[in-house]
Amino acid sequence: MKSVKKIAFIAAVVLMNSVMVSCSLPYGKDDSSEVVNILKTEEKTTEETSAEEETENIIEEILETEADKKNDFVISKDILIAYNGSDSHVVIPNGVKKIDDSAFWSVEYIEAVDIPESVEEIGEGAFWSCSGLKYVNAAEGLKKICDTAFWSCPSLKDVNLPSSVTEIGDTAFANCPALTIHTPEDSYAEEYAYGAKISSDNTYAEYTANTDENVIRAEQYEYEEFSQFIINDGVTAIEARAFQYCRKLETIDIPASVLTIGGDAFEYCSSLKSVNINEGCTEIGDGAFEYCESLTDVNIPASVVKIEKSSFDYCSENLVIHTPQGSYAEQYAKANDIAYDNVLYNDTVIV
C-alpha cells in the first residue's frame, strides 16, 4: 500500500511539473521569429520527456525493491517457511498465518521483527538462538507461541504481545535473561510472564534502530582463532556472543567506553585467563564469561551495577574477582561464592 501511494504521489508531482512548464510559456505570438517558438516547443517536449523517463525509472526501482522484499521470504500456503533477506528489521508480510518451525533459526543479524495481525501462530524454534534479536512486536491476532519459539535469544529485551494470545509454550522464552513482555492488563500473556518469572508491564515498547557504528555486533568474531584482540576506545557495546568460541583468546582489555557486555559474549573462550574491565562499564550479561575454564583474574570496576547470576559459571576454580571495596561486584562475588579482593590485577591490560 505504501508503494502504491508513493507511485501516485510521484505521478502527481510529474503532472504538476508538466502544467508548470506549460504555464511558463508565453501565450500567443510576439514580435519574435517563429524559430523562437519552435525552439521553446522543442524545449518543452524535451523537459516533459525527461520528467516522464525519470518517473518511470523511479517507479521501476520501487517495484523492483518491493519484489526483492517479497523474495526475502519463502512462503507456502500462507506459512512462512524461511527468511533469505539481509535486513536487520524484518517486517513479516501481511497474509502469513503461521511462522513455521525454525523459520529464522539462528539468524544472528536480525534485531527487530514486526508480526502482522494475520499471523496466528509462531512455531517451535522459529527464532531459536537469534543472538542479535532485541525487539518483537506482535499485532492483535496472534494466538499461539509454541515451545522454544524464542529459545536462547540473549539480546531480546522487548516483546509486545496482544490480548489475543491464549497459548504460550513453557519454554517459548527460555534463556532470554534480558526480556520484558509488554502486554495488556489481565491478559493471558501477563499471567504467563508472572508464572514464568519474566519481567512484564502494560506499556507498549517502541523500536529504535541502533545506528551506533562503534558496536561489536552479535557473533561478529565468533570462532575466530586470535590469541589477542584490541578493543578500540570508543566502542560502546559488546553484543551477545561477539567473541563466543574464540578458544585461543588469552587476555582481553575492555575500555572505559564500553557500557555493556552482552550475554554469552565470551562464552567458551577456553584459553582466556585474565580480563580487565575499565571504569565505565555498567552491565555484564547472562553467561558473558561462562565456560571460560582458564579464567583466573577479572578486574570489575565500581561502575558495574548489574551482573547476571550465570555470568561467570563454569570458570576456573581459582577465579578471583578484583573490585573496589563495597562495590556491586564485591556483593556479587560473595553471593555466588567466588573469591574476591580489593587489589587491581595489573597483568591483565593489553599493551
Side-chain angles (χ1 to χ4, degrees):
M1 181 61 73
K2 289 183 178 179
S3 297
V4 174
K5 289 181 178 178
K6 189 171 183 179
I7 292 169
F9 173 76
I10 293 169
V13 170
V14 172
L15 179 60
M16 289 177 64
N17 286 339
S18 299
V19 172
M20 290 174 68
V21 170
S22 299
C23 292
S24 65
L25 296 175
Y27 179 79
K29 295 182 178 180
D30 55 19
D31 295 331
S32 303
S33 68
E34 289 295 331
V35 176
V36 174
N37 289 330
I38 292 171
L39 289 174
K40 288 183 177 179
T41 301
E42 289 179 350
E43 183 181 351
K44 172 188 173 185
T45 303
T46 302
E47 289 177 355
E48 289 176 344
T49 301
S50 177
E52 289 173 0
E53 288 176 351
E54 184 179 353
T55 303
E56 289 176 359
N57 290 336
I58 293 173
I59 292 173
E60 185 176 345
E61 288 178 7
I62 293 170
L63 293 176
E64 287 178 355
T65 301
E66 291 301 311
D68 289 341
K69 292 289 184 185
K70 290 181 180 179
N71 291 334
D72 287 347
F73 302 93
V74 180
I75 300 171
S76 177
K77 298 180 180 179
D78 298 331
I79 298 175
L80 196 163
I81 299 172
Y83 177 67
N84 296 324
S86 58
D87 288 343
S88 60
H89 187 178
V90 176
V91 180
I92 307 295
N94 198 21
V96 170
K97 291 185 178 179
K98 178 182 178 181
I99 300 173
D100 204 14
D101 299 351
S102 307
F104 291 85
W105 178 286
S106 197
V107 180
E108 77 278 358
Y109 53 82
I110 60 171
E111 295 186 0
V113 177
D114 280 312
I115 301 172
E117 59 186 11
S118 61
V119 173
E120 298 178 356
E121 181 178 343
I122 302 174
E124 292 186 9
F127 295 91
W128 176 292
S129 196
C130 290
S131 57
L133 185 61
K134 301 173 183 176
Y135 173 89
V136 175
N137 178 51
E140 193 73 29
L142 180 65
K143 298 177 181 178
K144 181 179 180 180
I145 304 173
C146 295
D147 274 328
T148 70
F150 295 92
W151 176 284
S152 193
C153 294
S155 301
L156 187 57
K157 292 186 176 182
D158 297 294
V159 175
N160 294 323
L161 293 181
S163 58
S164 57
V165 173
T166 57
E167 184 178 352
I168 304 175
D170 291 341
T171 60
F173 295 97
N175 299 328
C176 296
L179 175 63
T180 296
I181 291 176
H182 309 276
T183 185
E185 190 174 1
D186 298 326
S187 66
Y188 174 87
E190 184 181 57
E191 293 180 9
Y192 168 85
Y194 178 80
K197 297 181 180 180
I198 297 173
S199 174
S200 69
D201 60 35
N202 305 127
T203 64
Y204 178 86
E206 298 282 354
Y207 171 65
T208 303
N210 186 357
T211 57
D212 189 353
E213 296 296 329
N214 296 319
V215 171
I216 297 179
R217 299 291 179 187
E219 301 185 28
Q220 186 169 345
Y221 297 105
E222 188 180 37
Y223 289 102
E224 294 287 348
E225 297 192 355
F226 41 66
S227 60
Q228 291 189 344
F229 186 93
I230 296 177
I231 299 176
N232 294 326
D233 190 23
V235 170
T236 59
I238 301 171
E239 294 194 338
R241 300 176 188 158
F243 294 91
Q244 190 181 48
Y245 292 105
C246 291
R247 297 189 185 277
K248 294 184 179 181
L249 182 64
E250 296 180 0
T251 60
I252 196 74
D253 180 58
I254 299 175
S257 58
V258 173
L259 302 179
T260 59
I261 302 171
D264 305 333
F266 294 89
E267 187 182 37
Y268 291 107
C269 292
S270 54
S271 297
L272 188 62
K273 299 174 183 177
S274 57
V275 175
N276 179 48
I277 303 173
N278 283 278
E279 186 75 26
C281 182
T282 61
E283 181 178 338
I284 302 174
D286 187 65
F289 297 93
E290 194 171 24
Y291 293 102
C292 293
E293 57 193 42
S294 301
L295 187 58
T296 56
D297 296 280
V298 180
N299 291 333
I300 302 180
S303 58
V304 171
V305 294
K306 182 179 181 181
I307 307 174
E308 295 292 345
K309 189 177 187 303
S310 66
S311 294
F312 295 94
D313 278 0
Y314 307 107
C315 290
S316 169
E317 292 180 356
N318 298 317
L319 174 64
V320 178
I321 290 177
H322 310 281
T323 186
Q325 186 174 8
S327 67
Y328 176 90
E330 183 181 73
Q331 300 305 313
Y332 170 86
K334 290 179 180 178
N336 291 278
D337 296 321
I338 298 174
Y340 71 93
D341 63 31
N342 306 126
V343 181
L344 184 68
Y345 180 69
N346 293 319
D347 295 338
T348 306
V349 180
I350 299 172
V351 180

